[in-house]
Amino acid sequence: MTESENDWSEQARCRGLDPDQFFVRGAAQARRAIAVCGRCDVKEQCLRYALDNAIDFGVWGGLTERQRRAYQRRLLATAS
Ligand code: SF4
């Protein structure tokens, strides 16, 4: 990854927070992480990064890993 590809992370709402908050265990923790993402200005870039890099764990772009898999399946279904 080049520096410019990761520039969005400078504006991340989660910057400075404990990363463990985004590698969630359970629905309550997921809701808290997703709430932070909901106020993040770089949510779309974060989600794109997670999808492009096949990141399997954690909340990225406001979606849990399960939600990202479902989102990607919908994208693929729409594209075909
Ligand atoms: S969308 Fe969520 S995980 Fe991604 S940078 Fe923003 S706050 Fe962090």
Side-chain angles (χ1 to χ4, degrees), residues 17-79:
L17 298 179
D18 181 355
D20 284 349
Q21 292 179 17
F22 293 82
F23 292 92
V24 300
R25 292 178 210 88
Q29 199 178 6
R31 279 193 298 275
R32 284 193 294 274
I34 289 167
V36 174
C37 297
R39 298 186 305 274
C40 180
D41 291 336
V42 291
K43 189 174 161 182
E44 288 179 27
Q45 293 94 323
C46 178
L47 176 59
R48 175 52 46 207
Y49 178 82
L51 295 174
D52 288 349
N53 292 283
I55 297 175
D56 284 339
F57 300 102
V59 171
W60 292 74
L63 299 179
T64 65
E65 53 267 37
R66 180 183 290 184
Q67 292 168 331
R68 285 197 305 280
R69 283 194 294 272
Y71 177 78
Q72 199 146 36
R73 280 194 300 274
R74 286 195 302 275
L75 286 181
L76 291 172
T78 304

